[in-house]
Amino acid sequence: MSLYDLLFFGCRNRATLDAFVGVIGDLIAESGVKKNEVRLLKSSSGYLKMRNPRTPTVVACFSDPSANEIAVITSLLAARVPIIPIARETERFEDFPALLQPLNGAVLPDDRNRWTSTAIAVLESIGLLRAQRRLFISYRRTESQAVAVQLHDALSARGFHVFLDTHSIRPGKLFQDNLWHSLCDSDVMVMLDTATYFRSKWTREEFGRAQSMGINILRIVWPGHTPERTSELSEQFALNQSDSQSDLLRSQVLEEIIEKVEWLRARGVAARHNEITGKLKTGVEAIGGEITGSGAYRSVSIRLKDGGAAWAYPVIGVPTAKLMHNIARWSRIAKQSGPYFVYDHTGISASWLEHIDWLDESISEVDCMRVSDTAAVLSRRLVS
């Protein structure tokens, strides 16, 4: 069953279109979604007749849509479907059809090795990847601060919310609480693996916590340094002496690292989602229930032992009011009553957990549930 529709309009160069759809398909595979759950459509013919209005949909539209494609886009815009104009480097958005010009677009670089960010923007728009792009840099100030700041600035420019201790913690805040809170909300940890990285108590703990949370780690290994065996399971990017100049990475090396981060993020989001869904399944089965299927936006259906049903939305990272609002809207469209917003509280700061409890009490459409409390919460539903 198709859970998502991705439409590709306006590209008259078949090779470019096929290559871009191929990048999208590879990212979908990395994100853990099954192939039969996503339709990748390169034609608008008959789409409005077969479209299910409950199916999350996005249109990636290049610069030359046909009259029929314009008609379909017009209808989808009225239904508030996201439309993303895609321009090549030699094109201007001002030259796109008038109804596309007010929309924020994305540029597809001439270098196909740099198409990942554009493809990810398409997938984020319908929930196949979470919209928050969070990253944590772990390093020793005495050895790699200049590169850490360089990575912070480069990744921030690419749309990531980057945690760097010298930039991200305000005066007066509890340092470690803020650090662990930011780490649990990150998709990737970039570890600058220098000679004395594991000699610091704090960097050792950052590395260990990232591993225990299932956060993907990109290990950037300094020239001449042999990594410790404890870090073998993480992804490696080995630097050569020629990769840096004046204590900073060369621009080409920086681009390669950013591209690797993008792929690791897609893979890491899938792994963390599978982990929390697995914990949810364990809790459901502990009280005699079962997971019976999946829906759009990574929702799962639950059947309780008394025959009752429930829907749950496992989410990764730190829950927000915006995400609760989205789940309320998605469940309303899908006609799901009383959905559960399921999250892992490990590492989330005490003040934010208090905020989540307040949201749970204040918003009646969605119930918040810690994944560790699944059995207890659903048991009360059986009793009631």
Side-chain angles (χ1 to χ4, degrees), residues 319-321 324 354-363 366 368:
T320 65
M324 283 189 70
E354 184 180 340
H355 171 63
I356 296 169
D357 290 341
W358 177 82
L359 288 173
D360 192 24
E361 293 174 3
S362 303
I363 300 173
V366 180
C368 293

Side-chain angles (χ1 to χ4, degrees), residues 11-22 88 112 115:
C11 186
R12 303 296 162 229
N13 185 316
R14 190 71 186 188
T16 297
L17 178 60
D18 289 345
F20 184 62
V21 173
R88 302 307 305 271
R112 293 188 179 185
W115 284 8

Side-chain angles (χ1 to χ4, degrees), residues 17 159 175 204 246 249 263 279 360 367 369:
L17 178 60
F175 188 87
R204 282 200 312 271
S246 301
L249 299 175
W263 280 99
K279 291 178 180 178
D360 192 24
D367 290 323
M369 179 169 68

Side-chain angles (χ1 to χ4, degrees), residues 13 49 103 137 163 182 197 207 212-213 222 226 276 286 290 309 350:
N13 185 316
K49 290 183 179 179
L103 304 175
I137 297 178
F163 178 89
S182 296
Y197 178 88
F207 182 85
S212 68
M213 293 176 186
W222 249 233
T226 301
I276 192 170
E290 63 176 328

Side-chain angles (χ1 to χ4, degrees), residues 109-299:
D110 291 335
D111 181 0
R112 293 188 179 185
N113 293 321
R114 295 172 54 208
W115 284 8
T116 309
S117 293
T118 307
I120 282 175
V122 174
L123 297 178
E124 286 174 347
S125 67
I126 55 170
L128 278 166
L129 290 175
R130 68 175 189 152
Q132 297 93 339
R133 295 159 53 79
R134 301 195 183 277
L135 185 143
F136 188 101
I137 297 178
S138 179
Y139 71 109
R140 294 213 67 186
R141 293 185 190 179
T142 55
E143 294 178 313
S144 53
Q145 184 165 358
V147 171
V149 173
Q150 183 189 23
L151 284 167
H152 172 275
D153 294 346
L155 288 159
S156 296
R158 290 285 282 268
F160 279 93
H161 294 273
V162 184
F163 178 89
L164 185 67
D165 57 355
T166 56
H167 289 54
S168 306
I169 300 179
R170 301 295 300 163
K173 297 293 184 181
L174 292 172
F175 188 87
Q176 290 306 131
D177 284 0
N178 276 262
L179 190 145
W180 303 140
H181 182 89
S182 296
L183 179 59
C184 77
D185 201 29
S186 297
D187 301 320
V188 179
M189 186 175 90
V190 175
M191 164 196 175
L192 304 188
D193 192 0
T194 51
T196 67
Y197 178 88
F198 281 106
R199 294 180 196 171
S200 163
K201 169 188 173 181
W202 300 116
T203 49
R204 282 200 312 271
E205 191 167 353
E206 288 167 11
F207 182 85
R209 286 204 179 209
Q211 281 195 317
S212 68
M213 293 176 186
I215 297 169
N216 271 1
I217 300 171
L218 176 59
R219 191 173 81 255
I220 301 177
V221 183
W222 249 233
H225 171 55
T226 301
E228 294 198 15
R229 294 188 63 185
T230 52
S231 62
E232 285 178 352
L233 295 178
S234 52
E235 193 83 12
Q236 178 175 320
F237 189 100
L239 296 174
N240 299 313
Q241 291 290 352
S242 59
D243 289 337
S244 61
Q245 185 176 29
S246 301
D247 294 329
L248 294 176
L249 299 175
R250 294 184 183 277
S251 58
Q252 182 178 350
V253 176
L254 202 58
E255 283 298 319
E256 291 175 12
I257 290 172
I258 292 172
E259 192 71 14
K260 208 168 188 69
V261 166
E262 294 279 20
W263 280 99
L264 271 179
R265 175 176 176 262
R267 196 181 307 159
V269 168
R272 293 183 72 192
H273 185 271
N274 289 339
E275 183 177 1
I276 192 170
T277 302
K279 291 178 180 178
L280 174 67
K281 182 174 181 288
T282 299
V284 169
E285 291 176 348
I287 58 169
E290 63 176 328
I291 302 291
T292 57
S294 59
Y297 301 104
R298 301 291 185 93
S299 58

